[in-house]
Amino acid sequence: MMEIKKIAVGCDHGAYELKNLLIEHLKSNGYECEDCGTYSPDSVHYPIYAHKVCRLVQCGTCDVGILLCGTGIGMSMAANKHRGIRAALCADTYSARYTRMHNDANVLCLGAMTTGRGLAFDIADAFLNNEFEGGRHAVRIAMFRDFENDCGKEN
Ligand code: RB5
């Protein structure tokens, strides 16, 4: 069983307030959080924060990441450009649960403009309290790795 202890959290200006509240929530539930910013409501470029969080997950410093922006879409697109990162944008707890169980997602993305605080906390909890089932799902995840190693050229 993979126990999640340390979480990298990042956001842009659109989710600055929710990110801070979420970190408080996570800490009160016993998780260690690496706050990757942004650290003010000033306008920033969200891929920078996606990259910081994904780096910490890629190198194993953090077990999983949580990324927040206005919709969560930009963060999920940027995160999924990183090798080994499986980022899932979730707006409901069922998806959050299953993306851990079936997709072995290692980054959760949330939209601060689309998802209220209480639901965002519940989604994060559902994500963190479930684990990958492996088996047939592992075969499918291995296919992602093949895509990452495919240079995209025809032989
Ligand atoms: C920022 O204005 C906004 O584009 C961003 O927070 C996010 O929604 C991008 O996907």
Side-chain angles (χ1 to χ4, degrees):
M1 173 173 174
M2 179 210 166
E3 200 192 342
I4 296 171
K5 289 184 185 156
K6 192 163 178 186
I7 306 167
V9 186
C11 71
D12 74 356
H13 51 283
Y16 168 67
E17 200 182 324
L18 182 58
K19 183 262 291 176
N20 290 339
L21 293 168
L22 181 64
I23 287 175
E24 275 176 35
H25 171 76
L26 297 171
K27 283 183 173 169
S28 73
N29 283 344
Y31 294 102
E32 200 182 328
C33 292
E34 185 75 39
D35 185 351
C36 297
T38 186
Y39 304 111
S40 88
D42 299 341
S43 184
V44 292
H45 301 309
Y46 61 81
I48 294 169
Y49 302 91
H51 189 56
K52 286 185 182 187
V53 165
C54 290
R55 278 295 203 210
L56 290 175
V57 176
Q58 280 176 320
C59 71
T61 301
C62 291
D63 301 309
V64 294
I66 301 181
L67 285 165
L68 309 95
C69 65
T71 58
I73 296 172
M75 283 298 196
S76 62
M77 288 181 169
N80 279 317
K81 296 294 179 192
H82 293 77
R83 185 177 290 272
I85 295 297
R86 293 173 298 280
L89 170 58
C90 295
D92 64 272
T93 54
Y94 185 90
S95 298
R97 185 151 61 98
Y98 274 86
T99 201
R100 285 286 302 134
M101 285 162 43
H102 288 186
N103 312 128
D104 198 16
N106 50 14
V107 173
L108 169 68
C109 299
L110 294 165
M113 302 298 282
T114 57
T115 309
R117 180 203 307 187
L119 179 56
F121 291 0
D122 284 355
I123 290 170
D125 294 345
F127 183 84
L128 298 168
N129 291 328
N130 282 282
E131 63 179 316
F132 186 45
E133 286 178 351
R136 69 185 188 282
H137 303 295
V139 176
R140 295 164 187 166
I141 300 307
M143 292 176 179
F144 295 178
R145 280 192 281 277
D146 293 343
F147 300 157
E148 286 174 342
N149 294 327
D150 182 347
C151 67
K153 288 185 191 154
E154 295 297 326
N155 289 325

